[in-house]
Amino acid sequence: MTTAATSHVNPVIVIAVVLSAILEVLDSTIVNVALPHIQAAFGATTDQATWILTSYIVSAVVVMPLTGFVARRIGRRRLILTAVTGFAAMSVMCGLSWSLETIVAFRLAQGMFGAFLIPLSQSILFDSFPREKRGQAMGIFGLGVVVAPVLGPTVGALLTEYFSWRMVFFVNLPVAAMALLLLAGELPDDETEDVKIDWKGLAMLAVGIGCLQFVLDQGETKDWLSSRVIQMTVIASVLGALGFVIHALTSKNSVVDLRLFADRNFALCNLIIAGFAISLFGGIAILPTFVQSLLNYPVIDSGLLFIPRGLTAGLSMVATGAVLVTRFDPRMLAGIGLLLTAIGNFMLGALNLNAGFWQLAWPGAVSGLGMGLVFVPMSILAFESISKTRQDEASGLFNVTRQLGSSVGISIVGTWVVRGLQTNTAALSQNVTPYNPAAQAYLQPLGLTPDSAEGAAILGQEISRQAEMISYLTVFNNLGVMALATIPLLFFCRAQKPGTQAAVQAH
């Protein structure tokens, strides 16, 4: 189905697939900043508005593992052209939406089209570059996949503040048009296969992954297992996942080949990239809320905080892909990257309520350096032994794992913040009484006492602020520990020595 990579790399195809990747990943974070404005425009509650995000993510996660199957059936070229066109069309419809119901429906369809873009872009890049230059391919790919979502909040903040929330959808059009034009002109036709549709496996996969993503997105809002809806969804997810695994391992025509995980590197790299995504995207998800709600940063400044992270991430991607992976053991590079990710989180976990802009931005810059050092080596190690005919399918699974890791990170940090706030408020309140000298000293400059109504109100507000701050700091430190805990898995990965013939020979 695919042609062997030659020493000549077509730069047009490289640009086209990176633009295709940027379409999907940018849209996954750019909408977050505009969500309050969309909520106000449609008079929706917070719970209802979250469906604008949930619908997109659920549909994308369900469809993404099917990339290899659909690419074999209709062809890689036709699939990516259809995906870019459909994504652009749904972006327009999202921007023109007239109600909450319509934007959720269009986001659902947008996620289905967008699901194919990342895996296809990655596998096309792999085929476009000779094996010894895969580091460069993944460095370029990482610029789109990892740097774009980091800068998404900045772009979303600027568009929402100076134009309209609808622009966060319309901004996709020029990117999609350029990608479509380049792909149509340069991407060659490929062969198709008469693959039988595994409807039974497809249904179980959709239930298993879709319900899991729903639980991760809505669990905190609905108080997890206290909700009957979450209970039933968890049961459905477990049954769907178990049924699919059994079916996939016993069927010759499974819609997704789980035997790919028999490859040790592929299985381990999936675990590592999931842990990395939890640590990285969990922190990225709560940083805007942290600085806006607690430190009173305006939305523009909260978006600008991500620029240093994006710049260092871009530098790291290019340097790692072009130079470092050819000279150093990729496992060592990934270990350093995970360490930098942990350090960035620990730096955020050491802040106080008086933190300035650069105190908040520098930790992101440190984590940004770690992004390229993790993503590029992990992508190379994961596909080290995967044949060309299975790259589309493997890429789909690898990116589903990354997406689920991101969802788990976002979900658990939300839970940690809320529950930490409750615990910390109760603990701090026990020590603040009208007879506490510290409380009396705090109110004395204001001419108030702890037993007065106004004094008690001020103390209550300060307790709430301190409790929330402690909660956020605990979350950042937990995410740092998560990154560190992933490092030992690297020792079990196999890697060829840089520069050896075995490391660069083609399949």
Side-chain angles (χ1 to χ4, degrees):
M1 177 180 151
T2 59
T3 58
T6 67
S7 58
H8 175 69
V9 177
N10 188 335
V12 177
I13 290 181
V14 172
I15 294 172
V17 296
V18 170
L19 288 175
S20 301
I22 288 175
L23 267 179
E24 200 279 333
V25 294
L26 182 64
D27 209 76
S28 65
T29 58
I30 193 175
V31 178
N32 294 30
V33 178
L35 195 61
H37 297 265
I38 301 174
Q39 178 182 338
F42 295 136
T45 64
T46 301
D47 288 355
Q48 292 171 335
T50 58
W51 278 102
I52 298 171
L53 304 178
T54 302
S55 58
Y56 178 91
I57 297 173
V58 169
S59 62
V61 169
V62 169
V63 174
M64 199 176 288
L66 308 179
T67 303
F69 166 78
V70 181
R72 291 199 306 272
R73 187 171 178 84
I74 70 173
R76 180 188 282 176
R77 171 187 163 89
R78 184 180 299 174
L79 177 57
I80 195 169
L81 290 176
T82 301
V84 173
T85 303
F87 189 91
M90 290 304 102
S91 295
V92 172
M93 297 310 298
C94 286
L96 297 175
S97 296
W98 53 92
S99 67
L100 180 66
E101 291 77 16
T102 55
I103 194 172
V104 168
F106 294 137
R107 285 282 284 173
L108 190 73
Q110 188 187 34
M112 294 176 65
F113 285 112
F116 297 113
L117 296 178
I118 298 296
L120 286 176
S121 297
Q122 186 173 34
S123 57
I124 290 173
L125 266 183
F126 259 15
D127 277 359
S128 299
F129 281 74
R131 186 171 177 79
E132 68 271 15
K133 294 185 178 180
R134 279 189 172 181
Q136 296 179 20
M138 287 303 95
I140 295 170
F141 181 68
L143 285 174
V145 173
V146 181
V147 178
V150 171
L151 295 179
T154 303
V155 177
L158 292 172
L159 291 175
T160 304
E161 181 74 14
Y162 294 112
F163 297 97
S164 164
W165 63 264
R166 298 181 186 274
M167 285 300 299
V168 302
F169 297 107
F170 293 145
V171 75
N172 292 328
L173 296 184
V175 180
M178 181 62 70
L180 196 62
L181 181 65
L182 298 179
L183 287 169
E186 294 293 331
L187 190 63
D189 288 323
D190 50 346
E191 298 177 0
T192 60
E193 300 178 25
D194 186 17
V195 184
K196 182 180 178 180
I197 300 178
D198 178 20
W199 292 110
K200 182 179 180 181
L202 180 61
M204 289 188 290
L205 177 67
V207 171
I209 294 185
C211 289
L212 172 60
Q213 185 65 54
F214 175 86
V215 170
L216 293 173
D217 285 342
Q218 297 293 310
E220 175 57 36
T221 302
K222 299 183 181 299
D223 198 20
W224 296 105
L225 294 178
S226 297
S227 165
R228 180 60 62 87
V229 172
I230 295 298
Q231 292 173 5
M232 298 304 296
T233 309
V234 168
I235 294 173
S237 177
V238 171
L239 292 177
L242 286 176
F244 174 74
V245 169
I246 295 171
H247 174 77
L249 295 177
T250 56
S251 172
K252 294 182 179 180
N253 298 309
S254 174
V255 69
V256 175
D257 186 6
L258 294 183
R259 296 178 183 87
L260 285 166
F261 289 106
D263 183 281
R264 187 172 76 185
N265 266 23
F266 186 73
L268 287 171
C269 288
N270 271 271
L271 289 175
I272 294 169
I273 206 69
F276 171 66
I278 291 172
S279 180
L280 177 69
F281 291 106
I284 289 175
I286 63 169
L287 189 58
T289 306
F290 169 58
V291 299
Q292 288 180 47
S293 66
L294 190 57
L295 305 184
N296 297 318
Y297 273 58
V299 64
I300 291 297
D301 287 352
S302 69
L304 294 177
L305 282 174
F306 288 90
I307 291 181
R309 185 191 295 258
L311 293 175
T312 56
L315 175 65
S316 176
M317 290 287 177
V318 173
T320 304
V323 179
L324 297 181
V325 291
T326 63
R327 300 184 180 182
F328 301 99
D329 189 324
R331 295 169 298 183
M332 182 190 71
L333 295 176
I336 295 173
L338 289 167
L339 180 61
L340 289 173
T341 302
I343 291 172
N345 279 309
F346 289 144
M347 290 171 68
L348 287 172
L351 297 177
N352 56 48
L353 287 167
N354 298 316
F357 180 89
W358 285 108
Q359 288 175 290
L360 290 158
W362 279 120
V366 173
S367 293
L369 287 174
M371 291 170 70
L373 290 168
V374 174
F375 184 81
V376 175
M378 283 298 95
S379 298
I380 294 173
L381 288 173
F383 295 90
E384 181 71 26
S385 304
I386 303 298
S387 65
K388 289 182 178 293
T389 57
R390 307 175 80 189
Q391 280 180 8
D392 289 340
E393 192 166 12
S395 183
L397 289 174
F398 187 71
N399 283 284
V400 165
T401 302
R402 177 183 57 82
Q403 178 63 64
L404 287 175
S406 173
S407 297
V408 169
I410 293 170
S411 178
I412 62 175
V413 296
T415 301
W416 284 343
V417 168
V418 172
R419 299 195 175 177
L421 177 60
Q422 297 169 350
T423 303
N424 296 329
T425 299
L428 292 176
S429 298
Q430 291 177 357
N431 298 316
V432 179
T433 68
Y435 309 103
N436 189 308
Q440 295 173 356
Y442 180 78
L443 293 174
Q444 187 175 9
L446 302 175
L448 299 172
T449 60
D451 55 357
S452 66
E454 189 175 354
I458 292 176
L459 285 177
Q461 292 173 359
E462 185 60 25
I463 288 172
S464 179
R465 289 178 69 234
Q466 295 290 346
E468 188 174 358
M469 185 67 180
I470 294 172
S471 182
Y472 276 111
L473 299 185
T474 301
V475 169
F476 288 126
N477 284 315
N478 287 346
L479 293 175
V481 172
M482 173 69 71
L484 291 180
T486 312
I487 293 177
L489 293 174
L490 291 167
F491 294 104
F492 298 96
C493 291
R494 294 187 303 265
Q496 299 288 350
K497 294 182 179 179
T500 62
Q501 181 63 27
V504 299
Q505 67 182 2
H507 281 298

